[in-house]
Amino acid sequence: MGCCVSSMSAHSHRFALVTVVGVATAWQAQILSCSAGPVSARNVRRLLSFQRYLHSSRFIRGIPASNPLGYILDDDYTGQAKLMLEKVGNWNFDMFLFDRLTNGNSLVNLTFHLFNSYGLIELFQLDMVKLRRFLVMIQEDYRSLNPYHNAVHAADVTQAMYCYLQEPKLAETMTSCDLLLGLLAAATHDLDHPGVNQPFLIKTNHYLAALYKNSSVLENHHWKSAVGLLRESALLSHLPTEDRSERLGSLILATDISRQNNYLSEFRTHLDKRDLCLTNGRHRHFILQIALKCADICNPCRPWKLSKLWSEKVTEEFFHQGDIERKHHLEVTPLCDRQSNSVANIQIGFMTYVVEPLFVEWSRFSDTRLSQTMMGHLSLNKQGWKEGRDKQEANTSRASEEQRTSAAKDSNSKELPQGSKRS
Ligand SMILES: [Zn+2]
């Protein structure tokens, strides 16, 4: 990271400056436009919140205000969405379809349904209107223009988290507080993701990188944004504070992929020693962290049709970052370089070095039908990408062979008339 910063080009400095100035201007314009009309107390709080300053407000991003509580949906669509929710614990759950059926409100509808079905609303005496508002704010603070890190990904991770919470070892031991935090962490774990990675934020001198001292920059931002929304909605303000915010943070921070090896070796050690005891609160929290990590990277363990779609979306986001880097003469991140990388290559690497090692251990911990299903999909999907890559490579080499042959023919046929002229 240090060398990235020290090798900052004049271009990248200029880029960072332009970004900040542009955003600041938009911010000033927003304040002016707000001052022209009635400003609610809630909006004032939003405008003054430091965490949300500059970057994280939907006002700046120009997302139009939506009707937060009423969705005008065709009865048929609502009926189909409700039918889908009856099978919300199914590993084949199609979040893309559910998002279409709910008119882009998958995160709100799914999380509300899960809170309700676990009885968390009654148990924690949650105000239904506050809960809806809170979920709508979360959903809106995901950037819908991100191909991958948007509210549909958050909904998908929340659904996967629910599937893991339903696994016998967890279902028998997790307390209502664990369930509440687990679902909240899943729904907010990528809140206000900018669609670029941490090294990009560091090399462009983004204010978030400075704020979090170049360490788990995105995850810290997701956590602090979630805490900001909890405070703003006052959803849990009637409950004792305890260590809720810290626990939420520790769950979200666990999704930092650069820390994966630490979690993995701790998990392995526990499994080797067989010393995990889920009546122990610290052990339950650790398993929640691992479950959230699994939920976050479970795309390759879904059925091929869904898995492939997620892969294409995440690669689109990576390549978009690479395009910005190229445009601004920054070093292009190899993973984000569309000129030297492909969806298949990225996926095979991701599955081999990140997903498989984690899910192998998860399957040791939770040896169930779901784990077998996930490992089965993972293996088939990896095979699918390998076959696709081999086919692609065979086509490319055939095409270049044909090109060479036709070029050779061309040069021969060009030489003949020349020779005939000479003769
Ligand atoms: Zn995520």
Side-chain angles (χ1 to χ4, degrees), residues 263-313:
Y263 286 96
L264 203 52
S265 64
E266 193 179 340
F267 196 25
R268 250 183 223 134
T269 308
H270 277 307
L271 294 173
D272 290 344
K273 288 186 179 169
R274 296 168 184 249
D275 66 355
L276 276 173
C277 172
L278 296 189
T279 51
N280 175 327
R282 277 193 305 118
H283 285 191
R284 279 203 313 279
H285 182 75
F286 179 68
I287 289 303
L288 272 184
Q289 286 178 314
I290 299 289
L292 182 58
K293 285 178 66 55
C294 288
D296 193 24
I297 59 167
C298 73
N299 294 158
C301 303
R302 298 280 194 180
W304 171 251
K305 193 186 112 193
L306 300 172
S307 179
K308 182 168 174 278
L309 210 46
W310 288 119
S311 305
E312 286 163 354
K313 286 181 181 296

Side-chain angles (χ1 to χ4, degrees), residues 26-306:
W27 181 249
Q28 285 156 355
Q30 187 55 54
I31 291 173
L32 285 175
S33 73
C34 283
S35 63
V39 182
S40 71
R42 187 177 141 241
N43 285 350
V44 170
R45 277 201 303 279
R46 288 183 78 88
L47 290 167
L48 293 177
S49 166
F50 175 66
Q51 261 305 314
R52 308 169 68 75
Y53 181 61
L54 284 181
H55 208 73
S56 56
S57 169
R58 61 177 168 276
F59 293 134
I60 294 172
R61 301 201 304 274
I63 300 170
S66 62
N67 177 3
L69 296 176
Y71 312 117
I72 306 164
L73 276 182
D74 186 85
D75 281 351
D76 191 35
Y77 275 54
T78 314
Q80 287 185 55
K82 276 183 186 162
L83 277 179
M84 280 192 79
L85 281 179
E86 285 175 17
K87 294 181 179 175
V88 69
N90 192 324
W91 189 246
N92 298 340
F93 194 90
D94 183 344
M95 195 53 74
F96 298 109
L97 174 61
F98 185 67
D99 196 61
R100 287 196 296 278
L101 292 174
T102 55
N103 200 22
N105 291 293
S106 53
L107 185 58
V108 171
N109 284 284
L110 177 99
T111 316
F112 192 90
H113 173 79
L114 295 179
F115 267 58
N116 200 23
S117 63
Y118 270 135
L120 299 174
I121 299 175
E122 273 189 15
L123 195 70
F124 291 103
Q125 297 189 310
L126 302 179
D127 181 315
M128 299 261 260
V129 176
K130 279 184 188 172
L131 176 60
R132 276 262 174 204
R133 276 208 196 110
F134 170 70
L135 295 176
V136 168
M137 284 195 292
I138 290 180
Q139 188 176 265
E140 286 184 353
D141 278 5
Y142 277 96
R143 304 183 186 195
S144 56
L145 293 179
N146 287 348
Y148 182 83
H149 286 106
N150 51 43
V152 189
H153 164 64
D156 193 58
V157 170
T158 308
Q159 191 270 341
M161 187 69 174
Y162 172 71
C163 291
Y164 302 149
L165 291 172
Q166 290 297 97
E167 289 287 76
K169 276 191 181 171
L170 285 85
E172 287 159 13
T173 53
M174 290 291 159
T175 65
S176 301
C177 211
D178 295 328
L179 298 175
L180 179 79
L181 277 172
L183 292 177
L184 277 180
T188 59
H189 83 282
D190 272 332
L191 197 55
D192 195 37
H193 196 296
V196 290
N197 62 14
Q198 171 173 298
F200 183 91
L201 295 179
I202 293 173
K203 67 184 171 188
T204 55
N205 280 352
H206 195 279
Y207 81 97
L208 285 175
L211 182 62
Y212 297 116
K213 299 184 172 57
N214 298 350
S215 167
S216 295
V217 174
L218 288 168
E219 293 74 18
N220 270 305
H221 179 57
H222 306 321
W223 167 33
K224 296 293 179 181
S225 303
V227 170
L229 286 189
L230 272 174
R231 228 172 262 158
E232 193 174 328
S233 66
L235 177 67
L236 306 176
S237 59
H238 60 293
L239 299 172
T241 317
E242 290 170 356
D243 55 352
R244 193 170 51 231
S245 166
E246 279 63 39
R247 278 197 70 192
L248 184 67
S250 139
L251 290 174
I252 294 175
L253 286 171
T255 62
D256 182 349
I257 216 82
S258 68
R259 297 186 184 188
Q260 162 117 336
N261 282 343
N262 299 343
Y263 286 96
L264 203 52
S265 64
E266 193 179 340
F267 196 25
R268 250 183 223 134
T269 308
H270 277 307
L271 294 173
D272 290 344
K273 288 186 179 169
R274 296 168 184 249
D275 66 355
L276 276 173
C277 172
L278 296 189
T279 51
N280 175 327
R282 277 193 305 118
H283 285 191
R284 279 203 313 279
H285 182 75
F286 179 68
I287 289 303
L288 272 184
Q289 286 178 314
I290 299 289
L292 182 58
K293 285 178 66 55
C294 288
D296 193 24
I297 59 167
C298 73
N299 294 158
C301 303
R302 298 280 194 180
W304 171 251
K305 193 186 112 193
L306 300 172

